Amino acid sequence: MAQGTQSGLKTSWYLLGPAFVAAIAYVDPGNVAANVSAGAQFGYLLLWVIVVANVLAGLVQYLSAKLGLVTGRSLPATIGRRMSRPARLVYWVQAELVAVATDAAEVIGGAIALRILFGLPLLIGGIVTGVVSLLLLAIQDRRGQLIFERMITGLLLVIAIGFAASFFVKTPPPGAVMGGLLPRFRGSESVLLAAAILGATVMPHAVYLHSGLVLDRHGHPDKGPRRTMLLRVTRVDVVLAMAVAGTVNAAMLLVAAINLQHRDITVSIDGAYAAIHDTLGPAIAVLFATGLLASGLASSSVGAYAGAMIMQGLLRRSVPMVVRRLVTLCPALALLALGFDPTRTLVLSQVVLSFGIPFAVLPLIRLTSDRRLMGADTNHPLITVVGWAVAVMVSLLNVVLIWLTVAG
């Protein structure tokens, strides 16, 4: 009996992985920019937003994975099957805009890290980031899903170490951290940053992606014990991955709150690096920059993976990865070449991502609540209510953002 239990545990651990690939989307350079800006400007005020967003993201990621395992189709493919061709094209356009915003954040973040570490110009750094992410995807294509998952999980570990290393030198006051868990805002800029944090955490492309990742890894299991086991393992996978991502995101904000708040510096990733260098030393600063570089490289490859899946599901055609990569890479490189402020561009890209959330979450909740499609794995009514509440909340927040942008 004990031997059977041990064997089952080994099998379960082996099956973990897809959620950790999806979780890379939650610790990408856009998260760094949004969290650093929030911590530098408002201290611990918006820590609660990270916690709430992370919980909501975990719920959404599990529903996406469940849809893939039960139906045998990715979320984009399932949506596309229920739309006419014109509707599918319109839906793909908005998803493609989200993919462009995603790639902009990831490539710019990688470029900033390469400038900090090696002094490369931003445009050259962006090109290097794009090329390396394409090489990671080539490894996935040739060596398989499991090797890709292990590489991405390794990079996630580098990211976690890079952004959490400073706590070994300087820790935040517990009282201030607890105060940051109390939901509140402080002016319109804090609302804008809250939306950026939300857009950087509940990532539309990660919602689309997870449904396909589980299919690539586990296939389409028939109804029965194996599907039940895979759904149980997937819940554990999501909880563990989102716990890591949430901890890293909180660490980003706390590092900025400790080292950047009340300092007379420009609120930027470069400013965060300089402040950490001055207060905690060069070794911790290099670890911070290394975490940012790993974030840019890993998230860029995962974003391109998601973009290909979205295109295949909605357009029903497979596009060569190089072509697909160039479609989303060129706008990011153009932003770098035109000299836009990279940190501000990163934050605004996350706001653009928040506008894509309802288009991913609303269909997901609707589909996973459809008993004809999901059978016995249909959402519990409470999950359905929470899911609709999340989608409505994000939609209302976007309306507020439009008003703030126009008013500003």
Side-chain angles (χ1 to χ4, degrees), residues 131-215:
V131 171
V132 172
S133 67
L134 190 59
L135 292 176
L136 289 174
L137 287 170
I139 292 174
Q140 186 271 339
D141 186 52
R142 293 187 179 185
R143 300 293 300 277
Q145 180 74 11
L146 185 58
I147 298 297
F148 182 69
E149 285 179 8
R150 288 175 177 173
M151 287 193 309
I152 296 299
T153 302
L155 287 171
L156 180 59
L157 180 61
V158 173
I159 295 166
I161 294 172
F163 290 120
S166 64
F167 293 123
F168 291 100
V169 180
K170 190 174 182 180
T171 57
V177 174
M178 295 302 294
L181 298 176
L182 179 65
R184 64 197 191 282
F185 295 106
R186 191 186 302 154
S188 60
E189 182 68 13
S190 68
V191 178
L192 179 67
L193 284 172
I197 291 171
L198 185 65
T201 305
V202 186
M203 298 282 277
H205 78 282
V207 177
Y208 296 123
L209 175 65
H210 206 159
S211 58
L213 284 172
V214 293
L215 288 175

Side-chain angles (χ1 to χ4, degrees), residues 21-304:
V21 175
I24 284 292
Y26 299 107
V27 291
D28 75 349
N31 291 83
V32 181
N35 295 330
V36 165
S37 297
Q41 294 182 51
F42 298 101
Y44 307 95
L45 179 74
L46 298 178
L47 182 60
W48 67 273
V49 179
I50 291 177
V51 175
V52 171
N54 201 69
V55 171
L56 298 180
L59 170 63
V60 171
Q61 290 304 134
Y62 173 68
L63 294 181
S64 175
K66 182 173 75 168
L67 177 73
L69 286 173
V70 173
T71 65
R73 293 187 294 272
S74 69
L75 176 58
T78 307
I79 292 172
R81 285 171 63 92
R82 299 189 170 209
M83 287 183 171
S84 63
R85 188 172 186 277
R88 279 192 292 109
L89 291 176
V90 172
Y91 194 91
W92 170 76
V93 168
Q94 67 80 27
E96 193 65 29
L97 291 175
V98 167
V100 169
T102 301
D103 222 25
E106 292 152 356
V107 171
I108 291 173
I112 294 173
L114 288 169
R115 181 176 67 181
I116 291 172
L117 289 169
F118 306 110
L120 291 181
L122 285 175
L123 181 58
I124 300 301
I127 294 172
V128 171
T129 302
V131 171
V132 172
S133 67
L134 190 59
L135 292 176
L136 289 174
L137 287 170
I139 292 174
Q140 186 271 339
D141 186 52
R142 293 187 179 185
R143 300 293 300 277
Q145 180 74 11
L146 185 58
I147 298 297
F148 182 69
E149 285 179 8
R150 288 175 177 173
M151 287 193 309
I152 296 299
T153 302
L155 287 171
L156 180 59
L157 180 61
V158 173
I159 295 166
I161 294 172
F163 290 120
S166 64
F167 293 123
F168 291 100
V169 180
K170 190 174 182 180
T171 57
V177 174
M178 295 302 294
L181 298 176
L182 179 65
R184 64 197 191 282
F185 295 106
R186 191 186 302 154
S188 60
E189 182 68 13
S190 68
V191 178
L192 179 67
L193 284 172
I197 291 171
L198 185 65
T201 305
V202 186
M203 298 282 277
H205 78 282
V207 177
Y208 296 123
L209 175 65
H210 206 159
S211 58
L213 284 172
V214 293
L215 288 175
D216 290 345
R217 178 67 184 278
H218 304 308
H220 178 210
D222 294 329
K223 181 180 178 181
R226 176 167 170 77
R227 180 192 290 180
T228 301
M229 182 270 292
L230 286 174
L231 288 172
R232 184 175 64 251
V233 170
T234 297
R235 283 193 291 270
V236 175
D237 197 23
V238 170
V239 169
L240 292 176
M242 295 312 299
V244 173
T247 301
V248 172
N249 277 312
M252 296 175 193
L253 184 143
L254 294 175
V255 167
I258 295 169
N259 298 290
L260 274 71
Q261 195 183 17
H262 308 309
R263 288 175 62 95
D264 186 21
I265 61 170
T266 302
V267 177
S268 65
I269 293 176
D270 294 275
Y273 171 82
I276 292 170
H277 186 281
D278 293 341
T279 58
L280 302 179
I284 299 297
V286 168
L287 285 173
F288 176 86
T290 302
L292 176 64
L293 178 59
S295 169
L297 296 176
S299 58
S300 186
S301 62
V302 170

Side-chain angles (χ1 to χ4, degrees), residues 211-405:
S211 58
L213 284 172
V214 293
L215 288 175
D216 290 345
R217 178 67 184 278
H218 304 308
H220 178 210
D222 294 329
K223 181 180 178 181
R226 176 167 170 77
R227 180 192 290 180
T228 301
M229 182 270 292
L230 286 174
L231 288 172
R232 184 175 64 251
V233 170
T234 297
R235 283 193 291 270
V236 175
D237 197 23
V238 170
V239 169
L240 292 176
M242 295 312 299
V244 173
T247 301
V248 172
N249 277 312
M252 296 175 193
L253 184 143
L254 294 175
V255 167
I258 295 169
N259 298 290
L260 274 71
Q261 195 183 17
H262 308 309
R263 288 175 62 95
D264 186 21
I265 61 170
T266 302
V267 177
S268 65
I269 293 176
D270 294 275
Y273 171 82
I276 292 170
H277 186 281
D278 293 341
T279 58
L280 302 179
I284 299 297
V286 168
L287 285 173
F288 176 86
T290 302
L292 176 64
L293 178 59
S295 169
L297 296 176
S299 58
S300 186
S301 62
V302 170
Y305 191 156
M309 186 178 296
I310 292 168
M311 185 174 287
Q312 186 170 1
L314 293 173
L315 297 186
R316 298 178 183 175
R317 63 180 62 181
S318 181
V319 178
M321 187 59 71
V322 174
V323 175
R324 165 69 206 162
R325 196 73 194 88
L326 290 175
V327 168
T328 53
L329 182 62
C330 287
L333 296 179
L335 289 172
L336 291 173
L338 292 173
F340 288 97
D341 176 70
T343 300
R344 187 64 177 175
T345 302
L346 280 173
V347 173
L348 292 177
S349 74
Q350 304 311 293
V351 176
V352 172
L353 290 180
S354 74
F355 284 87
I357 295 170
F359 293 97
V361 175
L362 285 171
L364 176 64
I365 301 300
R366 174 69 184 86
L367 290 168
T368 53
S369 302
D370 186 345
R371 186 165 294 278
R372 292 173 299 178
L373 181 67
M374 302 294 292
D377 296 304
T378 304
N379 292 341
H380 187 280
L382 178 60
I383 298 298
T384 300
V385 170
V386 172
W388 286 118
V390 171
V392 170
M393 177 189 70
V394 173
S395 300
L396 290 176
L397 184 58
N398 287 336
V399 172
V400 173
L401 275 173
I402 294 174
W403 182 82
L404 288 174
T405 303

